[in-house]
């Protein structure tokens, strides 16, 4: 077991040991405040979406689901399930994840690979179900959703345990937005797993419910057609400019500065989106000050337009940004992928024909210069023909549900019981 896994076990043990009466009461009160602020109107399917603020992809996927579900006439609400059930662990992960990728990527890679082993997956499943399972069950008992959807792996694990042991009667769906399917992202007991490709579905081994391929889980803006020439003109691109778009994700993690340097050396025009990493954006702006062929952006809502204007996406992690490019019909190049899920996704996307994995600076120069000169045609990624809209697939669980979850004891009754014990 690697160092970060020992740290996680230590943190989990600390949280478990801290579960005295006062702490349980505090958590129940917090859950009660949350449920009082929420309500599902009657008369339409009610969907509870549980996400996590680890990176930006889980919340972004949750927001897309809510929009699409509500457009189909359902009522949907989003909660940060990870922070709600295990707030300290959520903060610990949010702190540790970017630090590992920046300073000890080899350690993150080792942790990612070891936790993909079935033995370790079962261990993490038991640990997190023990830490968060009670909170999730009580939350669902209070809100009475018709279906629960998870966009975060550990939340999926806890819900799967509750479902498989009969402590949760509400159907559960889980979304996987990465082409590479890590074992922690799939849980026995979950009724429906939604994955982005057939290659992803082939990687699923531990699911006991249905596995379906979903259409790219992206905002509607990425699905709309635009006048490409007009958009390029608006961003100042000439007709013969070849424009790679480098997107560093929400946190701007990985060797982004080196990626940009390699792309610039190819003699093409470059647009870089650094996400919320202001330090990275400022560094690149200083480095390329006065260079008219390099544009550096921070966080922006204009990615749909930028993807329309660009000639290819260069990415190092996979996940939601690549799904957005695929929905736009933009060729994807995976280059210098980050440790763990970045390498995992690059391999899976290449097998699925969704991206080309560029393995060296020489190959990058050959591909980009060839594409700019018209000697190489970058393939446009295709969506699997059997892919279904995620929201429609989720609502099939509501239609097929036999009985509504029992109310059990309310949170108020639990508080009284805990206070008198």
């Amino acid at each position: 077991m690697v160092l970060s896994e020992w740290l996680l076990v230590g943190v989990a043990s600390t949280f478990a040991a801290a579960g005295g009466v006062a702490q349980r009461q505090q958590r129940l009160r917090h859950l009660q405040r949350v449920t009082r602020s929420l309500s599902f109107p009657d008369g339409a399917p009610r969907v509870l979406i549980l996400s996590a603020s680890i990176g930006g992809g889980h919340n972004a996927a949750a927001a897309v689901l809510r929009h699409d579900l509500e457009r189909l006439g359902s009522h949907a609400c989003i909660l940060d399930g990870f922070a709600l059930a295990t707030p300290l662990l959520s903060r610990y992960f949010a702190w540790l994840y970017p630090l590992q990728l920046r300073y000890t990527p080899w350690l993150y890679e080792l942790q990612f690979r070891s936790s993909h082993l079935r033995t370790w997956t079962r261990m993490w499943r038991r640990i997190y179900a023990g830490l968060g399972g009670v909170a999730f069950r009580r939350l669902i008992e209070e809100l009475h959703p018709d279906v629960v959807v998870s966009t975060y792996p550990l939340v999926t694990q806890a819900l799967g345990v509750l479902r498989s042991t009969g402590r949760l009667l509400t159907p559960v769906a889980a979304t996987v937005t990465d082409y590479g399917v890590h074992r922690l992202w799939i849980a026995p007991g979950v009724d429906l797993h939604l994955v982005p490709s057939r290659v992803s579905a082939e990687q699923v081994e531990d699911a006991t419910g249905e596995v379906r391929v979903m259409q790219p889980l992206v905002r509607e803006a990425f699905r709309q057609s635009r006048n490409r020439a007009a958009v390029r003109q608006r961003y100042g691109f000439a007709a013969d400019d070849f424009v790679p778009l480098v997107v560093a994700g929400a946190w701007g993690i990985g060797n982004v500065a080196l990626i940009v340097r390699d792309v610039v050396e190819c003699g093409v025009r470059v647009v870089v989106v650094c996400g919320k990493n202001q330090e990275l954006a400022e560094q690149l702006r200083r480095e390329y000050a006065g260079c008219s062929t390099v544009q550096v952006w921070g966080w922006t809502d204009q990615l749909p337009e930028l993807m329309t204007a660009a000639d290819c996406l260069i990415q190092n992690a996979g996940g939601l940004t690549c799904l957005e490019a695929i929905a736009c019909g933009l060729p994807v190049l995976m280059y210098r992928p980050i440790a763990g899920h970045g390498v995992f996704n690059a391999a899976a996307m290449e097998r699925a024909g969704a991206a080309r994995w560029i393995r060296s600076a020489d190959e990058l120069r050959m591909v980009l210069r060839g594409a700019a000169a018209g000697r190489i045609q970058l393939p446009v990624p295709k969506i699997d023909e059997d892919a279904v809209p995620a929201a429609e697939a989720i609502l099939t669980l509501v239609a097929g549900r036999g009985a509504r979850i029992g109310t059990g004891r309310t949170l108020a009754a639990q508080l009284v019981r805990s206070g008198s014990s």
Side-chain angles (χ1 to χ4, degrees), residues 11 126 344:
V11 171
R126 288 194 297 268
F344 203 53

Side-chain angles (χ1 to χ4, degrees), residues 115-154:
S115 61
H116 187 54
L117 299 174
R118 184 172 276 110
T119 300
W120 297 122
T121 301
R122 289 172 179 168
M123 180 185 71
W124 298 129
R125 183 177 298 140
R126 288 194 297 268
I127 288 175
Y128 193 69
L131 290 173
V134 172
F136 289 129
R137 182 166 57 85
R138 291 174 179 171
L139 176 68
I140 294 165
E141 286 176 350
E142 284 293 308
L143 293 178
H144 304 300
D146 293 298
V147 63
V148 182
V149 182
S150 169
T151 66
Y152 184 65
L154 287 181

Side-chain angles (χ1 to χ4, degrees), residues 220-228 231 308 327-328:
E220 193 170 2
F222 291 98
R223 311 170 201 167
Q224 296 172 350
S225 60
R226 294 179 177 80
N227 185 319
R228 174 173 158 81
V231 174
T308 298
C328 289

Side-chain angles (χ1 to χ4, degrees), residues 77-116:
C77 73
I78 300 172
L79 291 175
D80 188 329
F82 192 36
L84 184 66
T86 50
L88 295 180
L89 192 61
S90 173
R91 289 196 291 271
Y92 173 72
F93 269 44
W95 166 80
L96 182 65
Y97 171 67
L99 287 179
Q100 279 189 310
L101 286 174
R102 173 176 288 191
Y103 299 112
T104 58
W106 61 270
L107 185 60
Y108 179 76
E109 177 75 26
L110 188 58
Q111 175 186 323
F112 184 90
R113 290 187 179 277
S114 64
S115 61
H116 187 54

Side-chain angles (χ1 to χ4, degrees), residues 155-190:
V155 174
T156 299
Q157 296 302 320
L159 294 175
V161 170
L162 291 176
R163 193 81 173 104
S164 60
T165 56
R167 287 175 285 171
L168 178 61
L169 301 181
T170 307
V172 173
T175 60
V176 179
T177 54
D178 284 12
Y179 271 69
V181 181
H182 191 280
R183 253 199 194 92
L184 272 178
W185 303 339
I186 302 297
V190 170

Side-chain angles (χ1 to χ4, degrees), residues 95-420:
W95 166 80
L96 182 65
Y97 171 67
L99 287 179
Q100 279 189 310
L101 286 174
R102 173 176 288 191
Y103 299 112
T104 58
W106 61 270
L107 185 60
Y108 179 76
E109 177 75 26
L110 188 58
Q111 175 186 323
F112 184 90
R113 290 187 179 277
S114 64
S115 61
H116 187 54
L117 299 174
R118 184 172 276 110
T119 300
W120 297 122
T121 301
R122 289 172 179 168
M123 180 185 71
W124 298 129
R125 183 177 298 140
R126 288 194 297 268
I127 288 175
Y128 193 69
L131 290 173
V134 172
F136 289 129
R137 182 166 57 85
R138 291 174 179 171
L139 176 68
I140 294 165
E141 286 176 350
E142 284 293 308
L143 293 178
H144 304 300
D146 293 298
V147 63
V148 182
V149 182
S150 169
T151 66
Y152 184 65
L154 287 181
V155 174
T156 299
Q157 296 302 320
L159 294 175
V161 170
L162 291 176
R163 193 81 173 104
S164 60
T165 56
R167 287 175 285 171
L168 178 61
L169 301 181
T170 307
V172 173
T175 60
V176 179
T177 54
D178 284 12
Y179 271 69
V181 181
H182 191 280
R183 253 199 194 92
L184 272 178
W185 303 339
I186 302 297
V190 170
D191 300 84
L192 172 66
H193 288 92
L194 293 165
V195 298
S197 74
R198 293 177 186 171
V199 167
S200 308
E202 291 168 0
Q203 299 171 54
V204 175
E205 298 179 3
D206 299 330
T208 56
E210 188 178 9
V211 179
R212 302 188 70 179
V213 177
M214 64 179 169
Q215 295 175 4
L217 193 58
V218 299
R219 287 190 289 128
E220 193 170 2
F222 291 98
R223 311 170 201 167
Q224 296 172 350
S225 60
R226 294 179 177 80
N227 185 319
R228 174 173 158 81
V231 174
R232 284 176 65 90
Q233 185 177 25
R234 189 161 67 247
Y235 284 100
F237 302 153
D240 59 349
D241 281 340
F242 185 85
V243 185
L245 174 64
V246 181
V247 180
W251 287 356
I253 290 172
N255 294 321
V256 181
L258 185 55
I259 291 172
V260 174
R261 215 165 297 155
D262 291 344
V263 176
V264 170
E265 289 177 359
C266 296
V268 294
R269 186 158 188 165
V270 187
V271 178
V272 188
V273 179
C274 301
K276 298 178 181 178
N277 191 333
Q278 295 181 359
E279 180 183 349
L280 173 64
E282 292 169 2
Q283 173 193 340
L284 293 176
R285 287 180 184 127
R286 287 193 303 268
E287 185 171 347
Y288 297 101
C291 181
S292 61
T293 60
V294 179
Q295 293 182 23
V296 180
W297 296 58
W299 182 263
T300 178
D301 290 326
Q302 297 181 44
L303 265 184
E305 291 80 14
L306 288 173
M307 286 188 175
T308 298
D311 292 286
C312 67
L313 171 73
I314 298 179
Q315 238 274 318
N316 66 353
L320 203 64
T321 300
C322 289
L323 293 183
E324 291 166 348
I326 291 168
C328 289
L330 180 65
V332 178
L333 303 179
M334 294 294 292
Y335 182 58
R336 296 189 184 275
I338 61 175
H341 62 278
V343 174
F344 203 53
N345 278 329
M349 292 184 72
E350 188 171 60
R351 289 200 305 274
R356 177 168 178 171
W357 184 1
I358 305 295
R359 289 170 169 82
S360 69
D362 287 341
E363 184 183 355
L364 182 72
R365 283 191 291 271
M366 183 269 293
V367 170
L368 291 186
R369 289 174 180 175
R375 298 189 303 270
I376 293 177
Q377 187 73 32
L378 297 179
V380 175
K382 302 294 184 182
I383 300 170
D384 289 337
E385 293 181 358
D386 58 347
V388 298
E392 292 182 10
I394 288 166
L395 290 180
T396 62
L397 296 180
V398 178
R401 186 179 182 188
R404 182 175 298 277
I405 187 171
T407 58
R409 293 177 296 188
T410 65
L411 289 175
Q414 290 282 357
L415 282 169
V416 172
R417 184 180 181 87
S418 296
S420 60

